[in-house]
């Protein structure tokens, strides 16, 4: 099994593959002004096994295109959509977020939770803008400094792992530079990381290690996740995901 297969195996049974929450997705839906509108067309990019896709389908009169480059996640999403009775409104698309096949101006909203960093925030918001109808809405969560200052060790870690990490004001400046008008923002609270994402991963460690016997790569992946969790817990007052909601201008 290669590294990507191992990562998939550790994450595929999760309700979500990144920090977030159903309440938080609903709050972003409200800030986006999508409630009560009919016949929406929305893409959920980097959807994983579909946490936000299912919430969007439940809250809105919308058809959804759930995009991820890992087909097993999409297969799991289809099963969850069937079980929830949303199968006829959710289409899955296995493709990379930097090569989306959408027509220009066809989407009422683009959703993306905990995924745009794979392209880079500014590259992503710039590339995806043309898929939105004029006035269409972008809702993305992105790693964010939630205070003006932070410990040097934390800066050092994230500037190496994800140099685009920045404050919300800088992220909104990037959105404005790329033809969007800010509509709303909130940082994800700790439970979105701990209860909703990290505790369920930890609960899967033992079964994962059992399945992969003595595999060094599997053990290394568990160590990597354990270190990530410890880092988050240590510095949760300084860094989170910010949820950014913005409208396409023009
Ligand atoms: N939005 C989901 C998953 C977040 S994890 C949630 O909040 O639970 C990030 C997701 O992005 C993963 O499912 C991963 O497979 C997907 N991904 C990573 N790089 C990608 C790319 N280049 N194109 C499409 N999807 C990608």
């Amino acid at each position: 099994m290669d590294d990507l297969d191992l990562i998939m195996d550790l994450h595929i049974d999760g309700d979500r593959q990144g920090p977030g929450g159903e309440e938080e997705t609903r709050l972003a839906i409200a800030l986006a002004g999508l409630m009560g509108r009919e016949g929406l067309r929305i893409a959920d990019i980097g959807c994983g096994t579909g946490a936000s896709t299912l919430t969007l389908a439940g809250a809105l009169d919308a058809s959804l295109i759930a995009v991820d480059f890992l087909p097993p996640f999409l297969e799991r999403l289809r099963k969850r959509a069937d079980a929830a009775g949303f199968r006829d409104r959710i289409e899955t698309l296995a493709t990379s977020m930097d090569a989306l096949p959408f027509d220009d101006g066809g989407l009422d909203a683009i959703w993306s939770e905990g995924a745009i960093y794979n392209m880079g925030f500014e590259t992503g918001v710039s590339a995806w803008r043309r898929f939105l109808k004029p006035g269409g809405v972008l809702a993305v969560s992105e790693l964010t400094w939630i205070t003006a200052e932070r410990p040097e060790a934390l800066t050092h870690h994230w500037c190496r792992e994800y140099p685009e990490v920045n404050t919300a004001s800088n992220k909104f400046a990037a959105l404005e530079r790329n033809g969007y008008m800010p509509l709303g923002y909130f940082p994800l609270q700790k439970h979105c990381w701990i209860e909703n994402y990290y505790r369920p991963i930890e609960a899967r460690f033992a079964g994962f290690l059992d399945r992969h016997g003595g595999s060094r790569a599997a053990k290394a992946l568990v160590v990597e996740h354990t270190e990530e969790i410890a880092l988050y817990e240590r510095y949760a007052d300084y860094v989170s995901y910010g949820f950014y909601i913005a409208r396409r201008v023009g």
Side-chain angles (χ1 to χ4, degrees):
M1 230 185 207
D2 69 18
D3 286 356
L4 194 56
D5 286 330
L6 281 175
I7 291 171
M8 268 193 303
D9 188 60
L10 179 58
H11 285 276
I12 196 161
D13 291 330
D15 287 344
R16 57 177 57 259
Q17 286 70 39
E22 188 170 341
E23 286 306 309
E24 289 69 19
T25 299
R26 287 181 185 279
L27 175 56
I29 290 170
L31 292 169
L34 296 171
M35 301 297 295
R37 291 177 49 191
E38 289 175 8
L40 295 166
R41 189 154 176 79
I42 302 174
D44 186 359
I45 302 174
C47 59
T49 63
S52 52
T53 321
L54 296 173
T55 302
L56 287 159
L60 296 171
D61 178 0
S63 62
L64 289 136
I65 310 141
V67 181
D68 205 283
F69 75 163
L70 296 179
F73 283 175
L74 295 176
E75 198 183 317
R76 186 59 63 95
L77 187 159
R78 286 193 294 273
K79 285 200 184 112
R80 295 174 80 188
D82 280 342
F86 298 142
R87 192 63 191 94
D88 55 333
R89 289 202 286 122
I90 299 177
E91 172 193 334
T92 57
L93 181 64
T95 194
S96 183
M97 62 176 71
D98 56 11
L100 297 170
F102 302 141
D103 292 336
D104 287 358
L107 298 172
D108 294 288
I110 291 178
W111 216 264
S112 186
E113 297 196 21
I116 199 170
Y117 72 89
N118 289 292
M119 251 180 107
F121 182 83
E122 188 147 6
T123 305
V125 302
S126 160
W128 297 348
R129 181 180 179 278
R130 68 188 182 89
F131 304 130
L132 287 169
K133 295 177 183 173
V137 177
L138 174 79
V140 294
S141 67
E142 160 79 344
L143 194 77
T144 297
W145 297 136
I146 56 175
T147 52
E149 290 172 6
R150 63 209 64 87
E152 180 57 35
L154 183 66
T155 308
H156 186 74
H157 172 84
W158 280 117
C159 288
R160 194 181 62 232
E161 294 294 319
Y162 187 57
E164 243 186 290
V165 60
N166 216 323
T167 55
S169 49
N170 279 295
K171 292 291 170 186
F172 273 120
L175 286 164
E176 288 167 345
R177 269 199 301 280
N178 286 282
Y180 295 90
M181 170 201 298
L183 293 180
Y185 166 80
F186 58 94
L188 294 186
Q189 304 295 312
K190 282 184 197 171
H191 69 269
C192 294
W193 294 78
I194 303 291
E195 278 82 25
N196 296 0
Y197 180 51
Y198 285 147
R199 292 288 106 87
I201 296 177
E202 286 170 339
R204 295 195 298 273
F205 282 164
F208 173 77
L209 290 171
D210 275 355
R211 280 197 297 286
H212 300 288
S215 155
R216 283 167 65 116
K219 284 183 195 154
L221 197 61
V222 168
V223 169
E224 202 181 290
H225 279 73
T226 305
E227 286 172 359
E228 181 190 318
I229 294 167
L231 184 87
Y232 173 73
E233 287 182 330
R234 179 155 186 210
Y235 294 118
D237 291 341
Y238 304 99
V239 67
S240 187
Y241 270 89
F243 218 132
Y244 297 85
I245 299 98
R247 168 171 291 142
R248 172 177 163 163
V249 181

